Amino acid sequence: MTSDLTRDAFLGGRLHLHQPRSGYRAGVDPVLLAASVPAQSGQTVLDLGCGVGAAALCLAARVPGLKLTGVEMQPEYAALARRNGGDALEVIVADITALPLELRQRQFDHVITNPPYFNRRASRSAHDAGRETALGETTHLTDWVRAAAKRLKPKGYVHIIHRAERLPDILQALPNGMGSIEVLPLSPRVGRLAELVIVRARKNGRGAFKLHPSVILHEGTQHESDADSYVPAIKSVLRDGAALEF
């Protein structure tokens, strides 16, 4: 029903997405993920676990002319991704561990993914089924990383956003042949530990490992009000569709 959905503005209104009123709702993480991808017009992009299409469509709003494909295992979220993306986003309903043959025969210039963050052996499940599927790790993080790497063209890039404590798992899961690894930590405020990381790796890349300085998301050393407190560079990413370069 229409009343079960909201239509939300992203990138300062450059993009609008239909989302469930309750359940999993895209926040800033897929926007930051999309901003980190150095895609060029005409290239192909695969979004594993695309949800309602937030990351792929934010990327397309910054880089026109991309060929977008999303994989989403929840049919209701896949339907919203199709509605949000229209002809610009091909959406396939599938589990990332059982991709259809047609997709397994394709390779992409970029694969992006925002896997579920929480290991439910150490955290509580969400009450809403859609939200739980999006946030609770039932498919191991290793499977997400390896599925992404398999779908890359030679010299293609994978970008993964995840919680900082899972960085060792991501690095360990990257298969042989994935190199030029870069890690961008995201810290909520000055003096705080990074809570998120964006990991970039390149198929057949030979560059040295790079650990970049933390990007600070909010001004000040502590939360003081509910007002927008993003630093100017991050505000430009979230409101203007700017790139998050590293």
Side-chain angles (χ1 to χ4, degrees), residues 41-103:
S41 182
Q43 291 186 323
T44 54
V45 179
L46 174 64
D47 184 355
L48 291 178
C50 69
V52 301
L57 294 173
C58 283
L59 177 55
R62 177 170 60 87
V63 184
L66 296 174
K67 300 174 183 178
L68 305 174
T69 301
V71 173
E72 173 55 46
M73 70 178 295
Q74 299 189 81
E76 59 272 30
Y77 285 83
L80 288 174
R82 290 192 186 97
R83 180 175 179 179
N84 290 327
D87 294 339
L89 177 61
E90 172 194 19
V91 182
I92 298 170
V93 179
D95 189 309
I96 61 108
T97 62
L99 297 175
L101 177 61
E102 184 274 334
L103 187 58

Side-chain angles (χ1 to χ4, degrees), residues 199-246:
V199 179
R200 171 189 291 160
R202 193 175 196 187
K203 194 167 189 174
N204 306 131
R206 297 183 179 275
F209 176 83
K210 294 180 181 180
L211 177 60
H212 292 270
S214 284
V215 169
I216 306 302
L217 301 182
H218 295 276
E219 295 177 325
T221 58
Q222 61 184 7
H223 177 79
E224 295 181 350
S225 73
D226 292 333
D228 187 340
S229 64
Y230 290 110
V231 302
I234 296 302
K235 189 177 295 185
S236 183
V237 167
L238 299 178
R239 307 288 183 257
D240 305 324
L244 180 61
E245 298 180 356
F246 71 102

Side-chain angles (χ1 to χ4, degrees), residues 127-195:
H127 294 299
D128 179 86
R131 181 175 175 82
E132 174 57 23
T133 300
L135 296 178
E137 182 182 311
T138 53
T139 298
H140 197 277
L141 182 55
T142 297
D143 294 322
W144 285 90
V145 175
R146 292 179 179 172
K150 285 182 179 179
R151 301 277 59 79
L152 283 174
K153 293 180 179 179
K155 300 297 184 180
Y157 289 96
V158 63
H159 287 76
I160 303 166
I161 189 167
H162 214 289
R163 294 184 64 81
E165 63 262 30
R166 301 303 300 276
L167 177 59
D169 298 323
I170 294 172
L171 297 179
Q172 186 176 28
L174 286 169
N176 291 336
M178 294 297 295
S180 301
I181 300 166
E182 302 183 54
V183 177
L184 183 68
L186 304 174
S187 299
R189 299 182 187 275
V190 171
R192 298 275 296 275
L193 294 176
E195 293 184 357

